[in-house]
């Protein structure tokens, strides 16, 4: 029994030494310092219907959390190729988008999901809102996109269209602007634009190449 105990003692000691050795070489695992703020932000927008169901006080809380989250992005690029993808809207303060999300389009149907589709290499940006009970209709605003700094992208509208099972309606180009990605990781993107509006999105499961084909 004494021999068995001594062996276990030696094994535990050796295991501790080994763990310490590997920790010193490879470093101890570190937690994402932005995780707590990001979780608080996502909790704050939960149940907001993408901003439709939230008031001024709620926006103030959300904007403060965005300010705090942006501090973690100060040394990280928000405009590299990782920006490319299909981003589903979680929350916005942009009035025109909120109007469409709340009211839908007459004789087209209620709003469903909304996306931003960004292709950095292809220099394109699409703002997309799906409508109808089965998302059978779609309103798309097409823009050219140019990266101008490690945070900012400029865009220029090139056209818009409303496509339904019964008709297609085109709208001519109508403006330009910029947005800055104040926070970007693999799954969450937070941006602010030229008008001071905020956009919070998550990366959708649809790959960019697949989106282009539908």
């Amino acid at each position: 029994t004494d021999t068995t105990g001594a062996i276990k003692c030696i094994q535990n000691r050796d295991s501790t030494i080994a763990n310490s050795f590997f920790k010193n070489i490879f470093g101890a695992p570190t937690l994402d310092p932005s995780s707590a703020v990001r979780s608080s932000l996502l909790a704050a927008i939960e149940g907001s219907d993408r901003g439709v169901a939230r008031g001024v006080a709620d926006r103030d809380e959300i904007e403060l959390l965005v300010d705090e989250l942006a501090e973690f992005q100060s040394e990280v690029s928000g405009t590299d190729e990782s920006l490319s993808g299909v981003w589903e809207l979680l929350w916005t303060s942009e009035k025109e988008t909120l109007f469409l999300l709340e009211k839908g389009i007459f004789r087209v149907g209620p709003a469903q999901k909304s996306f931003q589709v960004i292709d950095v290499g292809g220099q394109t940006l699409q703002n997309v809102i799906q409508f109808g009970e089965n998302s059978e209709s779609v309103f798309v605003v097409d823009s050219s996109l140019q990266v101008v700094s490690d945070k900012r992208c400029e865009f220029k509208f090139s056209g818009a269209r409303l496509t339904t099972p019964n008709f297609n309606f085109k709208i001519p180009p109508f403006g330009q602007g910029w947005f800055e990605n104040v926070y970007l990781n693999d799954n969450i993107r937070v941006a602010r634009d030229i008008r001071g509006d905020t956009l919070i999105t998550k990366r959708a499961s649809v790959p960019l190449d697949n989106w282009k084909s539908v």
Side-chain angles (χ1 to χ4, degrees):
T1 303
D2 292 341
T3 303
T4 302
I7 292 174
K8 287 184 177 180
C9 230
I10 293 170
Q11 288 175 336
N12 290 337
R13 182 201 63 189
D14 291 345
S15 176
T16 300
I17 293 172
N19 288 338
S20 178
F21 173 77
F22 285 112
K23 185 181 291 186
N24 289 334
I25 290 183
F26 298 109
T30 57
L31 296 176
D32 179 0
S34 67
S35 177
V37 181
R38 190 171 63 246
S39 296
S40 295
L41 178 61
L42 295 177
I45 65 175
E46 186 176 1
S48 69
D49 190 17
R50 295 162 292 185
V52 173
R54 290 283 177 162
V56 175
D58 300 302
R59 179 177 177 180
D60 289 345
E61 176 192 359
I62 290 166
E63 296 289 3
L64 286 173
L65 287 167
V66 169
D67 288 340
E68 191 173 348
L69 191 61
E71 294 179 6
F72 294 100
Q73 193 74 25
S74 60
E75 302 299 327
V76 182
S77 174
T79 53
D80 59 19
E81 193 58 42
S82 64
L83 175 61
S84 294
V86 181
W87 298 92
E88 182 179 348
L89 179 66
L90 297 178
W91 187 89
T92 185
S93 60
E94 204 270 325
K95 292 180 180 178
E96 289 83 357
T97 300
L98 291 174
F99 178 84
L100 290 173
L101 292 175
E102 181 178 10
K103 305 298 184 182
I105 297 179
F106 181 62
R107 292 187 177 179
V108 175
Q112 303 296 339
K113 292 183 176 182
S114 178
F115 302 91
Q116 275 198 334
V117 185
I118 299 174
D119 185 347
V120 173
Q123 296 186 315
T124 60
L125 164 69
Q126 285 185 324
N127 288 287
V128 180
I129 303 179
Q130 297 172 336
F131 294 91
E133 297 298 337
N134 298 307
S135 301
E136 67 275 9
S137 301
V138 63
F139 178 62
V140 180
V141 178
D142 293 305
S143 305
S144 60
L145 182 74
Q146 183 177 5
V147 173
V148 295
S149 75
D150 62 351
K151 294 286 188 298
R152 181 172 294 192
C153 294
E154 292 180 349
F155 60 87
K156 184 175 182 180
F157 298 120
S158 56
R161 62 189 183 275
L162 174 62
T163 303
T164 79
N166 300 316
F167 65 88
N168 295 324
F169 181 69
K170 291 187 176 181
I171 303 170
F174 52 87
Q176 59 187 9
W178 56 260
F179 65 84
E180 291 186 342
N181 295 300
V182 299
Y183 182 81
L184 175 68
N185 71 4
D186 291 340
N187 300 309
I188 298 294
R189 181 173 70 93
V190 182
R192 283 176 169 153
D193 65 21
I194 189 172
R195 301 194 304 180
D197 286 316
T198 298
L199 182 83
I200 303 171
T201 61
K202 69 176 181 179
R203 192 180 295 275
S205 57
V206 182
L208 183 61
D209 290 341
N210 287 2
W211 178 272
K212 291 178 179 178
S213 66
V214 298

